[in-house]
Amino acid sequence: MVAKLPADQGAEGYQRGLGTRQIQMLAIGGTIGTGLFLGAGENIAKAGPSLILTYAVAGLAVFFVMRALGELLTYRRTEGGFAGYAREFLGPFWGYATTWTYWIIWVTTGMAELTAAGQYIQKWWPGVEQWQTALVALLVLFVVNLISVKLFGELEFWFAMIKVGAIVMMILVGIGVLVFGFSDAGDTARVGNLWDHGGVFPEGAGATIMTLQMVMFAYLGVELVGVTASEAKDPEKNIPRAINALPVRFALFYLGSLLVILAVVPWTAFKGGASPFVLAFDQIGIKGGGDIVNFVVLTAALSSCNAGGLYSTSRMLRTAGVNGDGPKVLGRLSERGVPVLTVVISALVMGIGVVVNAVVPEKAFGYITSVSTGGALLVWTVILVAHMIYRRRSAAGELPKSPYRMPWAPYTNWLVLAFFAFVTVTIAWEADTRVALYVMGAWVALVVVGWPFVRRSSRVEPVKVPVAEESASA
């Protein structure tokens, strides 16, 4: 039985339960996840200080993807965010394929975050198995997502606040160590650590390039701003504001934190499985600092699993039901405006990550993140291509122009697409990450095979009133 929707729900049936501060913090939290808190440690061990340059280049590419998505979102809102634009500009098949691909991306990413949570817990309780922690975390977040989007947004707000506070504290403490020389790391902490131990590229340019896969995974989640548009208050203002702030956030949270950490602690001190934040605080010698940061990075993993793993996957599954790309029952909402069935399905599938952690705990994180990165590249590519088609049609006068424009399109579209192709080559280069291409190839085959079964019910995205015109009429 489908519940009657309250008056404050939007056209998609969702409640407008996410306010300005929650959208802003969701945008911030989407750019800070396990890829930075855990994955950066392994990449520092591989490439040294040159990793900072990799984060800068990848961040620029992702920013242009978000500007393209922002232009589409301010042209008009649509069910399913970028999946709706894929449907409108590329056709029903691409809407269907994008919906399900984004779902599988975040299901696997949720598995990665659960894996990371298990590794963090082992710092305190080495005897606890990774899969046990993963299971408990999944059950807690599952309950939160069943209650209401408002509770989800509030929990994610505080998760993001903890992450932001930790990074700012790390940067301030690190600067204090470098300037005043206090702490146990005071004798060895210096800016020269960024180039003194073999140079900026100590392992060569090839090693730096091979970190791209994990670096791109670190940025996965920034596109959640597009998914939240259906449940956001005043998205015409809040979404462009959140996207415009991304360069500052990237510079502070990724580049700033890594610069400080690698100046305080030489890159040679890092090992693959260690969080750079935990290691830095341990080396500085602040009493309890390592435990505090370990709590923060655990929070980051739970945050990403909450926002992406359960929230976005359940919304994408609901989009499949609404658009006819899956059983209609997936489109049902509870009285609180929550797609309960899709939350349950996503949580059950994410439970596979618990099994992976039990079988191959030492390789679980690498396997899962490589699959997530491969899928993310596919989705980001669809966003860029849909944007180019929209630009061409708006330039021809067929569609209204968005007030929020992507700079230098379509040249920036093509440059970023070329960069994504290059990243795909790096994924294929190593055996441990190459598994992602096998998995994604199997996934593409599955999507193609499933299309004939949903083609008749999959609808073409209807033309709706653009956001700019809605605002004007209001």
Side-chain angles (χ1 to χ4, degrees):
M1 178 178 176
V2 182
K4 183 178 179 181
L5 301 176
D8 64 341
Q9 292 185 343
E12 304 88 352
Y14 292 121
Q15 291 183 351
R16 303 292 184 186
L18 299 178
T20 301
R21 67 183 178 88
Q22 292 168 327
I23 289 293
Q24 288 289 328
M25 294 310 291
L26 276 169
I28 294 173
T31 61
I32 308 172
T34 306
L36 173 63
F37 283 122
L38 181 62
E42 181 178 347
N43 283 328
I44 290 171
K46 285 183 178 179
S50 63
L51 179 65
I52 298 170
L53 300 177
T54 310
Y55 271 100
V57 173
L60 181 62
V62 172
F63 173 65
F64 280 121
V65 173
M66 290 304 298
R67 284 299 299 257
L69 178 58
E71 183 171 343
L72 292 171
L73 288 168
T74 50
Y75 147 63
R76 73 171 179 84
R77 291 190 298 274
T78 182
E79 168 76 32
F82 40 81
Y85 302 120
R87 179 177 302 279
E88 177 179 359
F89 296 111
L90 299 176
F93 170 79
W94 288 102
Y96 149 81
T98 303
T99 298
W100 284 100
T101 299
Y102 196 68
W103 175 76
I104 198 65
I105 289 171
W106 270 108
V107 165
T108 54
T109 300
M111 295 178 191
E113 305 298 352
L114 292 174
T115 299
Q119 293 181 17
Y120 297 143
I121 287 294
Q122 286 185 324
K123 176 179 172 61
W124 295 317
W125 299 291
V128 177
E129 298 289 341
Q130 282 185 200
W131 71 268
Q132 294 172 333
T133 303
L135 180 60
V136 172
L138 179 60
L139 290 175
V140 171
L141 296 178
F142 169 67
V143 172
V144 168
N145 275 265
L146 283 182
I147 298 175
S148 73
V149 68
K150 186 175 182 180
L151 177 60
F152 155 79
E154 198 63 30
L155 180 63
E156 198 57 33
F157 172 83
W158 290 107
F159 273 162
M161 285 288 287
I162 292 172
K163 291 188 286 185
V164 171
I167 292 181
V168 171
M169 180 178 66
M170 176 69 246
I171 292 174
L172 293 178
V173 170
I175 291 174
V177 171
L178 292 170
V179 174
F180 301 107
F182 64 82
S183 85
D184 295 347
D187 294 336
T188 58
R190 61 183 185 278
V191 177
N193 283 330
L194 295 171
W195 56 78
D196 282 347
H197 301 274
V200 176
F201 294 87
E203 300 294 335
T208 303
I209 290 172
M210 295 311 297
T211 63
L212 278 171
Q213 176 261 319
M214 184 64 75
V215 169
M216 295 305 297
F217 171 76
Y219 285 110
L220 178 60
V222 66
E223 74 290 327
L224 280 172
V225 174
V227 180
T228 62
S230 295
E231 295 175 88
K233 297 175 182 177
D234 200 9
E236 300 85 15
K237 295 180 181 179
N238 289 328
I239 289 175
R241 189 180 301 160
I243 293 174
N244 286 340
L246 287 178
V248 175
R249 290 170 185 154
F250 290 165
L252 175 64
F253 301 135
Y254 285 97
L255 309 186
S257 61
L258 289 176
L259 277 169
V260 171
I261 286 173
L262 290 174
V264 172
V265 182
W267 76 271
T268 51
F270 289 87
K271 297 179 181 179
S275 165
F277 290 82
V278 174
L279 181 59
F281 268 84
D282 281 341
Q283 295 255 341
I284 289 171
I286 297 176
K287 188 175 182 179
D291 288 329
I292 293 172
V293 177
N294 198 60
F295 168 74
V296 171
V297 295
L298 173 61
T299 299
L302 296 177
S303 169
S304 184
C305 185
N306 183 43
L310 285 175
Y311 175 83
S312 67
T313 56
S314 62
R315 271 55 182 178
M316 276 296 170
L317 269 188
R318 198 251 171 170
T319 295
V322 170
N323 286 334
D325 293 333
K328 290 183 179 180
V329 69
L330 297 177
R332 294 184 177 181
L333 296 174
S334 70
E335 293 181 358
R336 298 176 181 270
V338 175
V340 173
L341 178 60
T342 59
V343 172
V344 172
I345 293 173
S346 293
L348 288 175
V349 177
M350 282 174 60
I352 295 173
V354 178
V355 178
V356 174
N357 276 277
V359 177
V360 284
E362 69 284 352
K363 292 189 175 182
F365 190 75
Y367 282 164
I368 294 170
T369 56
S370 61
V371 172
S372 298
T373 302
L377 293 176
L378 287 175
V379 170
W380 290 341
T381 295
V382 167
I383 291 173
L384 291 169
V385 174
H387 173 262
M388 286 194 289
I389 296 173
Y390 162 71
R391 267 293 184 94
R392 188 162 60 244
R393 290 178 61 183
S394 64
E398 299 175 16
L399 295 172
K401 293 183 178 180
S402 168
Y404 185 70
R405 311 278 282 176
M406 178 182 177
W408 308 301
Y411 306 108
T412 41
N413 297 67
W414 287 113
L415 283 173
V416 176
L417 288 172
F419 175 70
F420 287 168
F422 181 72
V423 175
T424 303
V425 172
T426 68
I427 294 176
W429 200 259
E430 292 188 339
D432 284 346
T433 57
R434 196 179 304 139
V435 66
L437 299 184
Y438 301 145
V439 173
M440 291 311 299
W443 174 253
V444 169
L446 184 61
V447 168
V448 171
V449 170
W451 174 238
F453 295 96
V454 301
R455 185 181 341 191
R456 293 182 180 179
S457 58
S458 182
R459 64 181 176 84
V460 176
E461 185 73 8
V463 177
K464 300 177 183 177
V465 179
V467 168
E469 293 183 14
E470 286 180 357
S471 300
S473 63

